[in-house]
């Protein structure tokens, strides 16, 4: 790892987070800084841990599937696809091909919406709010398309163990094609604003660098790895869903800029290239959409019975917008709920690469470097631990009473201080 | 030195903003005051963004055809459905419901369905509007 | 480079595991119209041969570690090290899972961060969630649990060191038990060990 | 100073203070609405700064535990007072009685007075004892040092030109207002003046701490930097001083580069009050145009600079630009 030897022992520690305008989710960075330069950084996640794996081991597989979908607010379908693929391998359920294609299409649409959301957040971290509004304005189109196809903007509830629950019918094709055309010329404008802008280049070039061998050792995934030249993409390496039927290329920055530097700028380039790639994939899959049933086992009650009989362990993986998401599931015969369920979100692997990126940089760069791996902290924190106070649950009235009491106490203290 | 944002910004100066001003363009002095005026017909709320056909909104429940088989309770991921022993019927808490629609598929009598009603916000989790039974 | 087939990988790793080898199996799973198969190799090995097997795997191709999964199977705690080799070559990736069973009396396992630094996050999580002691881990602090989380309680264990019932709060039931509906007596407390607001 | 002049000065100062605050808040409101419309948003109502001010005044004024109370509370007052004093020296639309202290002060004094609000914010930031505020204070000092070079070069160019034309007090603002600079230079000088105008337009965002030079209050980096510990009345005073500074900075640009008045173009026969009103309106219009091109458009079309880049831009790029402008003005004087 790139370590910085510092002559002077001066400098002081400061802290960014857990609540800070730059961080959309609670994670705490403790920084050893000297003037503006960062010498050492340490981060503490875990503030948004909700105990989803623990909850998952007390629900049957259909319920767990919707729980998995809510691990992350942005990449819901990736966790659903990964969990469902693991359970299908254990129960040996062959999913009809049309369902594979619909899963991949909605997965790619989610990649477009997630990357545009990230582009907006990154622009806001740079203080470039107009690009934030532009990116999120363009993103509305794919959100409306997803709402049109799946009935909801974020949590699509379209995945079921053994297939999908909603069909993409031919009279929806023109609406999809119209959105894809919109995104093609929107891509040109976004690429200009995010890549050719002088100030963005000044802020992002050679900032937060992750060298190729650092990237290989720390095993980051997704755009963070590809921006450092590591060719890792689950859709290409691991043949699954509809991705096994089409040819794709690893999106590394040299396709556009001709060189790989592994800095924040390259991560922007990688993500924009992926948006363009996703548009192409959606069109290809729509053209090759096979017809056939949507569900291997249409009736949920029959499905539950079959899952109760299944036993074994398997790994389900999917290329989330932020990188590889992996679910390890182990089922035992006669038990409804999974015996073991391990969720590995993409930010889980990308966390460690924060350290080499931030050391040696300025304080001003922390927000953009932290945002450059597109951390999804709610994905990575999954166990909720409530302080074990002995009292029972506080109802709303009690909470209200407590807060009123506290305000009275503060006012009394203030009054005492004003005129002792 | 290139600033590709400038033409886009200047162009926008003479076009309508992209925001849909639902319920009102600017914050009224008092929200309750505005709602009263709307009630009396003096003021009008801007409509929300039009909603696509099969939006998954608030649950609807047909009590007569329900046979109390409790399959919906078995598949509901969010414990949103309560079983009423005395009348062998169910009660759905919309505040807990995550609109996944799994119960609408498992129900043998199709007495559960997702409507397109999405304006379900309320300060009380168990307000009458948020309990379907 | 010539790619080894899953059985060949299993063979090579079995040789490297030596006495610690327990069992191996290869599985496949096809999806999509063309039916391209994805390949997995599952090995069960003893704790002592974890490092040599991993070093042999690094010789085949520098692996990408996804995560160290785990399962509490009563007398033992099983750790599943999920590696992937041949990433970067389209459609050729192979999942190699090394399963190490540790009995609950002696929950120690050597760290692999020497070979793959990226495994640190996984190892720290296993330490705090299962009570496993990863020998000479570079940074053994808690990761996801708060500092003042009670020591000795390991959330993923299913035995007595797991989450005690009184720490479980059924938030979905909050406020539901004292609802007064004309034709509906309040539902029974969902978790007898944790009486919800016995008013 | 006889009594009537003293009385006129006091009344003039009060009037200018009210004008500075009122116009400053209105211009901030217009700036926010224009920025919103350019970003395809509806944006707040134009009177939003007044609403914010009213809200701040009723909020609790928290003084942090490890702060230095007297400096923490004194800094906002100093910032507002010094911002208003600059208004006393800047000529505005040749209205009678303005500038109130026009005869005493000159450009050099205005340049120094421009630093005092910044120093007050630095003092307030360092007094509030929060690590973010300390970083913000360091950055504010560095930003002030940085934009001094191009500002000084521009002022020297004006003074040199006026001295070359034989003006008695080359630095005095009255002299600058009397001879519009564009009319006394040839083609080479014209290009030089264009460079100087561009420099001054980019110095204004630095003075006001707006993007791309808002490292001291970088919201996403150090959470409001200098003003992170301020609340209630103190924060209201600081936002007022920023509003007045907006008027001051833009009025300086107008005074130097666009000293013409409405009556110079259209001979208005009517009562002198009518002509004065027309001049005042024309002056406000000039302020708005300068505000649009130097603050509003700049702050939404670029990203925020790091503090090292702020110094690079001001010393290397704008410094060179202003020195070249100065040389061109000098060369032009010899060529004619």
């Amino acid at each position: 790892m790139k370590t910085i030897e510092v002559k002077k022992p001066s400098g002081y520690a400061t802290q960014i987070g857990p609540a800070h305008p730059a961080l959309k989710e609670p994670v705490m960075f403790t920084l050893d800084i000297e003037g503006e330069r960062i010498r050492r950084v340490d981060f503490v996640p875990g503030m948004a841990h909700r105990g989803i794996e623990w909850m998952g081991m007390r629900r049957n597989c259909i319920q767990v599937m919707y729980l998995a979908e809510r691990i992350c607010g942005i990449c819901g379908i990736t966790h659903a696809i990964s969990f469902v693929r693991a359970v299908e391998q254990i129960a040996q359920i062959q999913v009809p091909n049309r369902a594979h294609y619909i899963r991949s299409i909605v997965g790619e649409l989610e990649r477009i919406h997630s990357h545009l959301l990230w582009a907006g957040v990154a622009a806001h971290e740079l203080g470039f709010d107009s690009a934030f509004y532009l990116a999120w304005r363009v993103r509305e189109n794919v959100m409306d398309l997803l709402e049109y196809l799946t009935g909801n903007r974020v949590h699509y509830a379209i995945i079921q163990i053994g297939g999908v629950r909603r069909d993409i019918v031919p009279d929806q094709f023109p609406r999809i094609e119209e959105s894809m055309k919109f995104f093609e010329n929107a891509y040109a404008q976004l690429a200009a604003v995010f890549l050719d802008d002088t100030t963005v280049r000044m802020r992002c070039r050679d900032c937060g660098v992750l060298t190729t061998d650092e990237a290989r050792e720390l095993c980051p995934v997704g755009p963070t790895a590809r921006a450092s030249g590591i060719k890792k993409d689950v859709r290409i390496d691991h043949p699954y869903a509809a991705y096994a039927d089409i040819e794709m290329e690893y999106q590394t920055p040299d396709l556009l800029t001709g060189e790989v530097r592994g800095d924040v700028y390259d991560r922007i380039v990688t993500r924009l290239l992926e948006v363009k790639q996703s548009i192409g994939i959606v069109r290809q899959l729509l053209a090759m959409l096979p017809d056939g049933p949507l569900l291997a086992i249409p009736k949920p009650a029959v499905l539950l019975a079959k899952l109760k009989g299944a036993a074994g362990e398997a790994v389900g993986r999917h290329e989330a917008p932020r990188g590889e998401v992996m679910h390890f599931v182990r089922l035992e015969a006669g038990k409804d709920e999974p015996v073991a369920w391990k969720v590995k979100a993409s930010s889980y692997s990308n966390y460690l690469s924060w350290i080499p990126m931030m050391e040696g940089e300025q304080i001003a760069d922390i927000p953009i470097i932290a945002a450059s791996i597109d951390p999804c902290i709610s994905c990575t924190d999954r166990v909720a631990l409530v302080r074990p106070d002995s009292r029972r649950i506080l109802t709303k009235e009690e909470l209200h009473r407590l807060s009123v009491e506290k305000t009275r106490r503060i006012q009394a203290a203030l009054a005492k201080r004003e005129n002792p | 030195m290139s600033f590709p944002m400038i033409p886009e910004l200047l162009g926008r100066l003479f076009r309508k903003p992209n925001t849909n001003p639902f319920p009102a363009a600017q914050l009224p002095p008092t929200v309750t005051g505005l709602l009263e005026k709307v009630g009396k017909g003096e003021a009008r709320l801007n409509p929300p963004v039009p909603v696509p056909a099969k939006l998954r909104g608030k649950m609807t429940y047909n009590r007569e055809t329900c046979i109390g088989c409790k399959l919906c309770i078995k598949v509901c991921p969010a414990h949103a459905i309560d079983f009423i022993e005395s009348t062998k019927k169910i009660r759905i808490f919309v505040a807990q419901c995550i609109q996944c629609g799994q119960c609408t598929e498992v129900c043998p009598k199709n007495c559960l369905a997702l409507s397109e009603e999405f304006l379900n916000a309320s300060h009380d989790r168990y307000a009458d509007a948020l309990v379907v039974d | 480079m010539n790619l080894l087939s899953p059985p060949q990988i299993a063979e090579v790793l079995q040789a490297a595991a030596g006495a610690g080898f327990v069992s191996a199996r290869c599985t496949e799973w096809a999806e999509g119209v063309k039916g391209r198969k994805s390949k997995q190799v599952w090995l069960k090995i003893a704790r002592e041969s974890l490092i040599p097997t991993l070093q042999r795997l690094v010789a085949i191709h520098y692996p990408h570690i996804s995560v160290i999964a785990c399962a509490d199977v009563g007398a033992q705690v099983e750790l599943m090290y999920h590696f992937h080799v041949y990433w970067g070559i389209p459609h050729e990736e192979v999942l190699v899972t090394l399963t190490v069973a540790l009995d609950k009396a002696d929950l120690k396992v050597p760290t692999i961060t020497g070979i793959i630094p990226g495994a640190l996050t996984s190892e720290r999580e296993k330490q705090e969630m299962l009570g496993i002691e990863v020998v000479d881990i570079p940074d053994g602090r808690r990761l996801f649990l708060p500092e003042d989380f009670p020591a000795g309680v390991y959330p993923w264990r299913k035995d007595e060191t797991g989450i005690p019932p009184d720490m479980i709060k059924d938030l979905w039931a909050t406020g539901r038990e004292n609802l007064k509906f004309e034709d509906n007596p309040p539902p029974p407390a969902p978790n007898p060990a944790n009486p919800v607001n016995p008013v | 100073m006889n009594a009537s002049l003293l009385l006129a000065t006091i009344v003039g100062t009060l009037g200018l203070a009210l004008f500075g605050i009122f116009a400053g808040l209105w211009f901030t409101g217009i700036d926010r609405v224009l920025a919103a419309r350019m970003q395809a948003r509806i944006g707040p109502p134009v009177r939003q700064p007044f609403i914010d001010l009213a809200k701040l005044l009723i909020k609790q004024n928290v003084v942090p535990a490890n702060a230095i109370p007297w400096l923490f509370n004194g800094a906002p007052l100093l910032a507002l007072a010094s911002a208003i004093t600059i208004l006393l020296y800047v000529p505005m639309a040749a209205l009678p009685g303005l500038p109130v202290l026009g005869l005493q002060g000159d450009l050099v004094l205005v340049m120094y007075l421009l630093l005092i609000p910044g120093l007050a914010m630095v003092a307030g930031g360092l007094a509030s004892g929060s690590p973010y505020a300390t970083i913000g204070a360091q950055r504010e000092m560095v930003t002030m040092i940085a934009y001094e070079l191009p500002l000084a070069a521009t002022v020297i160019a004006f003074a040199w030109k006026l001295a070359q034309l034989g003006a008695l007090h080359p630095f005095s603002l009255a002299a600058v207002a009397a001879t519009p600079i564009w009319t006394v230079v040839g083609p080479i000088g014209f290009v030089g003046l264009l460079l100087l105008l561009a420099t001054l337009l980019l110095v204004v965002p630095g003075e006001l701490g707006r993007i791309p030079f808002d490292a001291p209050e970088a919201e996403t980096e150090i959470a409001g930097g200098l003003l992170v510990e301020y609340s209630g009345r103190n924060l209201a005073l600081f936002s007022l001083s920023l509003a007045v500074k907006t008027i001051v900075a833009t009025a300086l640009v107008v005074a130097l580069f666009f000293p013409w008045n409405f009556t110079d173009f259209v001979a208005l026969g009517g009562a002198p009050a009518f002509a004065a009103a027309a001049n005042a309106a024309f002056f406000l219009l000039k302020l708005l145009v300068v505000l649009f091109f130097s603050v509003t458009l700049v702050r939404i079309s670029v990203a925020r600079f790091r503090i090292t880049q702020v110094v690079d831009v001001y010393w290397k790029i704008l410094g060179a630009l202003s020195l070249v402008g100065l040389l061109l003005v000098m060369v032009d004087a010899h060529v004619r």
Side-chain angles (χ1 to χ4, degrees):
Chain A
M1 268 194 263
K2 169 173 81 178
T3 51
I4 310 287
E5 333 76 26
V6 177
K7 284 87 56 210
K8 307 202 297 306
S10 75
Y12 50 97
T14 183
Q15 178 183 332
I16 291 203
H20 183 275
L23 304 172
K24 299 299 163 270
E25 285 160 313
V27 66
M28 195 170 74
F29 293 97
T30 317
L31 310 152
D32 229 349
I33 55 171
E34 184 212 328
E36 287 276 346
R37 197 66 56 193
I38 302 165
R39 284 197 315 213
R40 222 174 45 73
V41 64
D42 170 42
F43 63 89
V44 175
M47 284 81 174
H49 215 281
R50 301 185 298 281
I52 286 190
E53 278 145 344
W54 183 84
M55 284 192 260
M57 293 179 207
R58 280 149 186 78
R59 280 175 166 71
N60 63 53
C61 282
I62 289 186
Q63 290 176 319
V64 171
M65 207 279 299
Y66 291 103
L67 206 58
E69 197 174 41
R70 274 153 185 77
I71 287 176
C72 169
I74 317 166
C75 49
I77 200 169
T78 56
H79 290 283
I81 290 181
S82 312
F83 175 76
V84 151
R85 285 193 57 240
V87 172
E88 282 155 10
Q89 287 176 39
I90 299 170
Q92 295 295 325
I93 301 173
Q94 279 302 340
V95 175
N97 287 327
R98 188 177 181 87
H100 278 310
Y101 276 67
I102 292 175
R103 280 186 189 176
S104 302
I105 289 171
V106 178
E108 289 312 310
L109 290 178
E110 183 187 65
R111 192 182 316 282
I112 294 176
H113 115 69
S114 172
H115 281 335
L116 290 175
L117 180 138
W118 171 81
V121 166
H124 175 62
E125 304 297 6
L126 289 172
F128 197 177
D129 283 346
S130 313
F132 164 72
Y133 293 119
L134 174 71
W136 279 38
R137 200 166 61 240
V138 166
R139 172 172 164 261
E140 276 307 309
N141 192 300
V142 77
M143 301 293 277
D144 294 343
L145 175 65
L146 281 166
E147 191 175 39
Y148 170 71
L149 291 179
T150 65
N152 196 329
R153 288 163 62 91
V154 179
H155 294 308
Y156 314 130
I158 194 170
I159 302 286
Q160 177 56 279
I161 297 167
V164 278
R165 294 174 52 202
R166 270 182 188 229
D167 197 359
I168 297 183
V169 293
D171 59 12
Q172 289 173 327
F173 286 4
R175 174 73 169 73
I176 298 175
E177 183 47 34
E178 173 210 332
S179 275
M180 288 307 118
K181 222 182 250 65
F182 167 83
F183 273 102
E184 243 155 18
N185 37 39
Y187 169 80
Q189 184 180 21
L190 283 171
V193 164
F194 278 96
L195 299 184
D196 305 342
D197 186 276
T198 315
T199 48
V200 169
R201 196 173 292 195
M202 277 166 80
R203 277 301 298 277
C204 297
R205 243 330 176 200
D206 298 331
C207 152
V209 175
L210 184 70
T211 61
T212 309
D213 41 22
E214 261 168 9
R216 196 147 47 88
E217 272 173 16
L218 292 175
C219 299
V221 284
T224 316
R226 290 192 284 277
S228 301
I230 299 289
K231 289 193 181 321
K232 229 185 244 179
D233 186 332
V234 179
R235 296 172 297 176
I236 305 170
D237 305 335
H238 175 70
Y240 72 101
Y243 300 115
D245 303 341
I246 51 175
E247 295 317 317
M248 289 192 303
E249 232 194 82
Y250 299 99
Q251 298 299 316
T252 45
D254 48 13
L255 299 180
L256 190 72
T257 62
E259 59 175 339
V260 171
R261 295 202 211 166
D263 54 13
V264 171
Y265 189 81
D266 276 355
R267 281 171 218 127
I268 301 177
V269 166
T270 311
R271 289 195 172 93
L272 281 178
L273 285 176
E274 277 177 21
V275 166
K276 197 165 177 207
Q277 180 192 34
S278 294
I279 298 171
I281 294 174
V282 167
R283 281 203 171 118
Q284 249 180 322
L285 293 183
L286 266 182
M288 301 156 60
L289 190 61
D291 38 20
L294 290 180
L295 278 166
I297 306 167
K299 286 224 169 314
V302 173
L303 178 64
L304 273 177
K306 181 167 174 59
L307 289 177
K308 199 168 176 106
E313 58 182 8
V315 159
R317 291 166 74 222
H318 173 66
E319 177 71 17
R322 273 158 276 289
E324 168 216 37
V325 159
M326 195 202 92
H327 283 233
F328 168 78
V329 177
R330 172 182 286 182
L331 296 179
E332 264 174 22
K335 276 205 182 131
D336 263 341
E337 63 280 0
V339 171
W341 176 36
K342 176 65 191 129
V343 174
K344 200 282 291 184
S346 5
S347 306
Y348 192 95
S349 325
N350 292 334
Y351 263 169
L352 282 176
S353 35
W354 263 337
I355 296 176
M357 284 183 200
M358 280 194 183
E359 278 175 357
E361 293 298 339
Q362 289 184 23
I363 298 173
D365 299 326
I366 292 172
I368 186 60
I369 295 174
S372 70
I373 70 163
D374 196 352
C376 185
I377 291 148
S378 353
C379 273
T380 317
D381 301 347
R382 294 162 317 287
V383 167
L385 266 298
V386 180
R387 290 285 181 281
D389 54 7
S390 55
R391 272 183 300 115
R392 45 181 163 61
I393 294 171
L394 300 178
T395 61
K396 189 159 83 74
E397 292 72 27
E398 278 167 324
L399 280 178
H400 180 66
R401 186 169 46 73
L402 282 177
S403 65
V404 166
E405 273 166 22
K406 182 157 195 237
T407 330
R408 295 267 151 63
R409 264 201 318 278
I410 294 171
Q411 279 161 350
L414 271 177
K416 196 152 47 54
R417 206 167 71 161
E418 239 88 56
N419 34 47
Chain B
M1 294 286 254
S2 90
F3 301 99
M5 201 68 200
I6 294 180
E8 150 78 13
L9 293 170
L10 292 177
R12 276 280 155 188
L13 201 52
F14 309 103
R15 284 156 61 184
K16 220 166 67 59
N18 219 11
T19 328
N20 169 34
F22 166 79
Q26 299 292 0
L27 182 67
T30 62
V31 176
T32 43
L34 173 70
L35 294 181
E36 273 147 22
K37 277 213 219 70
V38 168
K40 289 202 284 292
E42 290 146 15
R44 203 181 54 77
L45 288 181
N46 301 331
V49 174
V51 160
K54 290 182 285 187
L55 179 84
R56 289 183 277 116
K58 187 173 162 186
M59 289 293 298
T60 56
Y61 168 52
N62 178 349
R63 189 185 297 186
E64 285 64 35
T65 54
C66 168
I67 57 171
C69 66
K70 292 207 262 189
L71 262 178
C72 53
I73 296 175
K74 190 166 172 46
V75 290
C76 173
H79 299 283
I81 306 177
D82 248 357
F83 188 69
I84 309 168
E85 295 300 339
S86 54
T87 60
K88 287 282 178 284
K89 299 294 177 194
I90 60 166
R91 166 171 298 115
I92 302 155
F93 296 101
V94 176
Q96 246 84 44
C97 166
I98 56 171
Q99 279 101 29
C100 63
Q102 190 63 61
C103 53
T104 56
E105 284 185 12
V106 79
C107 178
K109 294 291 176 190
N110 306 335
C111 50
L112 290 166
L114 282 166
S115 71
E116 285 176 5
E117 172 55 34
F118 66 94
L119 295 172
N120 306 330
S122 156
H123 66 282
D124 169 14
R125 180 184 301 187
Y126 300 114
D128 294 345
L130 295 186
V131 178
V132 173
D133 61 354
Chain C
M1 62 184 183
N2 56 351
L3 306 182
L4 300 176
S5 73
Q8 285 168 327
I9 295 178
E11 230 172 78
V12 162
L13 294 182
Q14 177 176 350
F21 176 79
V22 175
S23 70
R25 61 185 171 87
C26 301
T27 57
E28 280 172 354
W29 182 253
E31 284 190 1
V33 173
K34 291 192 178 128
R36 276 200 176 110
K37 291 198 174 350
S38 62
K39 304 175 275 271
Q40 296 95 23
V41 176
W42 305 78
L43 268 104
K44 224 176 182 12
I45 55 173
R47 168 178 46 193
E48 292 67 28
S49 51
L50 172 64
I51 299 291
T53 316
L54 180 56
Q55 277 158 350
R56 185 66 187 78
L57 186 64
V58 167
I60 297 173
H61 179 247
Y62 192 87
H64 158 72
I65 180 167
S66 290
V67 78
I68 306 171
C70 55
D72 176 349
V73 286
Q76 290 189 319
V77 168
E78 283 185 359
L79 285 182
M80 280 70 85
Y81 289 74
H82 293 290
F83 298 106
H84 295 279
V85 280
Y86 300 143
W87 45 266
I89 308 152
H91 308 306
E92 291 307 330
E93 191 169 49
V94 177
L95 163 73
V96 176
T97 302
L98 307 178
T99 307
V100 176
L102 312 166
D103 42 19
K104 288 197 173 169
D106 168 20
L107 283 175
K108 286 197 181 52
V109 74
T111 178
I112 60 168
T113 43
I115 306 162
I116 306 178
L120 180 63
T121 317
S122 255
E123 288 184 345
R124 280 174 70 182
E125 188 191 30
K126 296 306 152 299
Q127 262 188 243
E128 65 183 352
M129 292 299 180
L130 285 161
I132 287 169
E133 194 217 329
V134 181
V135 177
D136 54 53
I137 185 171
D139 174 4
R141 290 171 301 162
R142 280 195 188 284
L143 187 61
F144 291 116
L145 297 181
E147 287 76 18
D148 56 2
F149 182 73
V153 174
Y154 302 112
W156 285 346
R157 292 268 285 270
K158 292 202 169 62
D159 50 23
E160 72 294 344
T161 59
I163 297 275
D166 59 359
M167 275 174 82
I168 302 163
K169 313 277 190 247
D170 288 334
L171 291 182
W172 56 268
T174 312
R176 218 184 261 184
E177 60 297 335
N178 43 29
L179 288 179
K180 293 292 171 285
F181 291 94
E182 328 73 30
D183 57 353
N184 171 27
N191 179 345
N194 164 34
V196 169
N197 200 354
V199 67
Chain D
M1 278 244 287
N2 54 38
S4 69
L5 190 60
L6 185 64
L7 185 67
T9 316
I10 290 169
V11 165
T13 315
L14 285 178
L16 271 180
L18 287 179
F19 162 73
I21 289 170
F22 201 75
L25 290 175
W26 268 111
F27 276 26
T28 318
I30 296 167
D31 166 59
R32 283 174 66 169
V33 169
L34 281 178
R37 284 298 156 88
M38 285 200 273
Q39 293 170 338
R41 293 185 286 122
I42 291 179
V46 182
R47 53 180 169 74
Q48 187 63 34
F50 291 91
I51 301 171
D52 294 347
L53 190 69
K55 185 199 72 177
L56 278 180
L57 289 176
I58 58 174
K59 287 281 181 185
Q60 185 191 6
N61 185 3
V62 175
V63 179
N66 52 15
I68 308 157
W70 65 272
L71 189 55
F72 184 80
N73 293 324
L77 290 172
L78 178 63
L80 182 58
S82 51
I84 291 173
T85 33
I86 309 172
L87 271 180
L88 306 184
Y89 294 99
V90 175
M92 294 187 194
L95 294 175
L98 289 176
V100 173
L101 298 175
L103 307 177
Q104 274 77 10
D106 62 6
L107 271 173
V108 175
L109 175 65
V110 167
M111 265 173 60
Y112 275 101
L113 281 175
L114 265 174
L115 287 180
I116 296 179
L119 287 178
M121 283 173 92
V122 166
L126 290 174
S128 56
S130 126
Y132 288 156
T134 325
I135 297 169
Q138 291 162 4
R139 289 180 173 184
E140 176 72 23
M141 283 187 270
V142 169
T143 314
M144 284 199 292
I145 299 164
Y147 71 69
E148 270 315 300
L149 173 65
L151 183 61
T154 314
V155 164
I156 288 164
F158 273 83
W160 186 87
K161 185 65 193 171
L162 290 177
Q164 194 247 347
L165 290 175
L168 198 58
H169 302 292
F171 277 100
S172 89
L173 280 152
V176 166
T179 54
I181 199 76
W182 301 95
T183 55
V184 288
V185 280
I188 304 174
F190 188 83
V191 169
L193 281 180
L194 277 183
L195 294 182
L196 291 174
L197 176 61
T199 317
L200 200 57
L201 283 178
L202 281 178
V203 163
V204 169
E207 283 161 3
L208 301 181
R210 305 299 284 244
I211 292 183
F213 306 104
D214 77 334
E217 295 114 21
E219 179 242 349
T220 50
E221 289 156 22
I222 42 176
L226 277 173
L227 305 176
V228 68
E229 295 294 346
Y230 274 94
S231 58
R233 205 175 58 258
N234 286 345
L235 188 56
L237 286 176
F238 263 131
S239 62
L240 275 186
S241 82
L242 201 63
V244 172
K245 250 176 104 175
T246 315
I247 297 291
V248 162
T250 40
L252 196 63
V253 173
V254 164
L256 288 177
F257 283 96
F258 313 106
W260 296 283
N261 287 317
F262 188 72
T263 45
D264 303 347
F265 305 111
V266 169
L268 279 176
F274 182 59
N279 277 346
F282 185 59
F283 173 70
L284 287 179
L285 184 68
K286 285 190 285 184
L287 282 189
L288 207 56
V289 167
V290 166
L291 183 73
F292 179 80
F293 283 106
S294 71
V295 176
T296 310
L297 189 59
V298 169
R299 79 179 174 92
I300 55 172
S301 51
V302 282
R304 174 183 303 124
F305 289 154
R306 295 186 204 115
I307 191 65
T308 44
Q309 287 165 341
V310 166
V311 178
D312 288 349
V313 163
Y314 272 133
W315 276 1
K316 293 180 186 144
I317 300 172
L318 289 182
L321 211 66
S322 54
L323 291 180
V324 162
L326 177 61
L327 283 176
L328 286 179
V329 167
M330 290 180 173
V331 161
D332 172 82
H334 290 297
V335 157
R336 279 165 65 98

